[in-house]
């Protein structure tokens, strides 16, 4: 009974995730349908659910679910989904155990062998050259910074325009030790912007957590002057050539400024006035326009309207 209830809860979570997935537009590279098989030699997984997890700005959502039958779980759909990095997960609370690329090669099989009954160790893929390269890099590269750097550079020289190359450059492009020792949000942001191709729309649909990398360093008090915040925001947004990434980041920056000190209101007005409004969620246009118009009357430098007195007292 407990397992049935647990399975029902997971199905509800997955259903909620399906309703919250990415809204596809003409500017977002997408693929119509997919047929992805996951095979394993772990017989105890038969009858258990397995999930495909999608990402938007690093934030996960549940795309699909299947049940292991005789060591095979098949995910099959005709819906249009964004191209990007997806992941398999055994339940909604566990960490994904294998990422994969869903692109124009949308029919393939991922085989995961467990060689010591403690964790998945051997991963192979058939039907997708891009995923073969991807899995080779992840599972067959020694945990050595020099070797990782060598393989990255090899991909960059031989396949500079491939999505697999752009993702690996972003995900493995920063020295992990340096990032761990960094205490500056500005340094983290600059590292992210340096290694990530923000002209590639598919980069938004990966596990890379865009919000955490471009959040404003206000809480850490690295920047306190509004003029410096505007300069910081302008620098970030100007680097985002892909419209969907640009919209995503502007929306997050605007919401951050909206919940902080009113001294930062000029930065909100700057965002609204200097960039197109395609980042505004449908139905919120008039509310935000009224908010900005009201802010313009009271931000530093604005002319105070005349005060009207109805009697001499």
């Amino acid at each position: 009974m407990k397992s049935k209830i647990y399975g029902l809860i997971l199905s509800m979570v997955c259903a909620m995730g399906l309703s919250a997935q990415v809204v596809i537009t003409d500017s977002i590279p997408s693929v119509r349908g997919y047929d992805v098989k996951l095979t394993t030699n772990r017989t105890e997984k038969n009858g258990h659910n397995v999930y495909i997890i999608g990402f938007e700005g690093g934030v996960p959502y549940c795309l699909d679910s299947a049940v292991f039958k005789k060591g095979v779980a098949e995910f099959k759909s005709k819906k249009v989904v964004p191209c990007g990095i997806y992941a398999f997960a055994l339940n909604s609370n566990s960490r994904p155990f294998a990422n994969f690329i869903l692109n124009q090669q949308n029919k393939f099989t991922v085989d995961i062998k467990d060689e010591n009954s403690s964790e998945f160790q051997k991963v192979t893929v058939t039907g997708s050259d891009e995923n073969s390269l991807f899995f080779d890099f992840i599972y067959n590269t020694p945990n050595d910074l020099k070797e990782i750097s060598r393989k990255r550079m090899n991909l960059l020289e031989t396949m500079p325009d491939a999505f697999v190359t752009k993702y690996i450059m972003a995900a493995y492009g920063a020295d992990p030790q340096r990032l761990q020792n960094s205490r500056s949000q500005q340094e983290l942001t600059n590292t992210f912007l340096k290694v990530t191709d923000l002209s590639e729309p598919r980069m938004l649909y990966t596990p890379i957590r865009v919000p955490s990398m471009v959040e404003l360093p206000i809480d850490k008090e690295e920047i306190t002057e509004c003029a410096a915040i505007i300069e910081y925001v302008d620098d970030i947004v100007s680097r985002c050539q892909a419209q969907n990434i640009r919209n995503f980041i502007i929306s997050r920056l605007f919401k951050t400024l909206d919940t902080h000190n009113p001294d930062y209101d000029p930065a909100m007005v700057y965002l609204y006035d200097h960039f197109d409004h395609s980042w505004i969620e449908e139905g919120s246009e008039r509310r935000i326009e009224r908010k900005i118009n009201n802010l313009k009357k009271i931000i530093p430098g604005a002319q105070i309207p005349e005060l009207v007195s109805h009697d001499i007292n």
Side-chain angles (χ1 to χ4, degrees), residues 186 222-234:
Q186 286 181 274
E222 294 176 28
I223 297 180
T224 56
E225 297 295 328
C226 192
I229 291 174
I230 290 176
E231 183 179 351
Y232 182 83
V233 166
D234 200 32

Side-chain angles (χ1 to χ4, degrees), residues 177-208:
Q177 190 63 42
R178 182 180 178 184
L179 288 180
Q180 186 176 3
N181 295 336
S182 174
R183 296 182 180 180
S184 167
Q185 180 61 44
Q186 286 181 274
E187 186 176 348
L188 289 171
T189 299
N190 287 332
T191 300
F192 167 75
L193 294 172
K194 183 179 179 181
V195 302
T196 305
D197 182 358
L198 295 179
S199 67
E200 172 54 73
R202 291 169 291 187
M203 203 61 68
L204 185 62
Y205 311 113
T206 73
I208 298 173

Side-chain angles (χ1 to χ4, degrees), residues 2-222:
K2 287 184 178 179
S3 62
K4 290 183 179 179
I5 294 175
Y6 185 59
L8 178 61
I9 293 173
L10 287 177
S11 298
M12 292 172 64
V13 170
C14 192
M16 289 187 289
L18 286 170
S19 64
Q21 63 182 283
V22 181
V23 177
I24 302 296
T25 66
D26 292 339
S27 63
I28 297 175
S30 57
V31 59
R32 181 174 294 279
Y34 53 84
D35 185 352
V36 179
K37 291 181 181 178
L38 174 64
T39 63
T40 178
N41 62 341
R42 297 185 65 168
T43 56
E44 75 273 15
K45 294 301 178 185
N46 288 329
H48 287 234
N49 284 357
V50 62
Y51 299 85
I52 287 182
I53 305 298
F55 304 91
E56 184 178 16
V59 179
Y61 64 90
C62 181
L63 176 71
D64 205 348
S65 65
V67 179
F68 274 117
K69 297 178 180 179
K70 297 181 179 180
V72 179
E74 183 173 11
F75 303 88
K76 201 169 185 177
S77 174
K78 294 183 179 180
K79 60 191 170 190
V80 179
V81 296
C83 297
I85 303 292
Y86 291 79
F88 296 115
L90 294 178
N91 61 63
S92 60
N93 296 320
S94 67
R95 295 182 63 182
F97 57 82
N99 292 342
F100 63 92
I101 298 172
L102 188 55
N103 222 341
Q104 299 311 312
Q105 289 181 314
N106 59 350
K107 185 176 181 179
F108 53 89
T109 299
V110 178
D111 181 60
I112 301 180
K113 291 286 191 301
D114 179 10
E115 297 182 341
N116 62 1
S117 69
S118 62
E119 60 181 19
F120 294 116
Q121 286 195 336
K122 187 176 181 182
V123 181
T124 57
V125 62
T126 54
S128 171
D129 297 334
E130 200 166 26
N131 274 300
S132 294
L133 281 171
F134 186 51
F135 286 128
D136 176 68
F137 183 93
I138 293 176
Y139 294 102
N140 295 328
T141 303
N143 189 20
D144 177 79
L145 290 179
K146 288 185 178 180
E147 181 61 16
I148 291 173
S149 178
R150 186 192 68 78
K151 295 189 77 168
R152 281 175 56 247
M153 290 302 104
N154 182 58
L155 281 173
L156 193 60
E157 291 174 3
T158 58
M159 305 173 59
D161 297 324
F163 176 58
V164 62
T165 301
K166 294 179 179 181
Y167 176 71
I168 286 174
M169 292 299 293
Y172 298 88
D175 182 347
Q177 190 63 42
R178 182 180 178 184
L179 288 180
Q180 186 176 3
N181 295 336
S182 174
R183 296 182 180 180
S184 167
Q185 180 61 44
Q186 286 181 274
E187 186 176 348
L188 289 171
T189 299
N190 287 332
T191 300
F192 167 75
L193 294 172
K194 183 179 179 181
V195 302
T196 305
D197 182 358
L198 295 179
S199 67
E200 172 54 73
R202 291 169 291 187
M203 203 61 68
L204 185 62
Y205 311 113
T206 73
I208 298 173
R209 294 192 62 82
V210 175
S212 65
M213 289 300 184
V214 297
E215 66 184 9
L216 290 171
I218 296 174
D219 292 330
K220 295 183 179 181
E221 296 186 348
E222 294 176 28

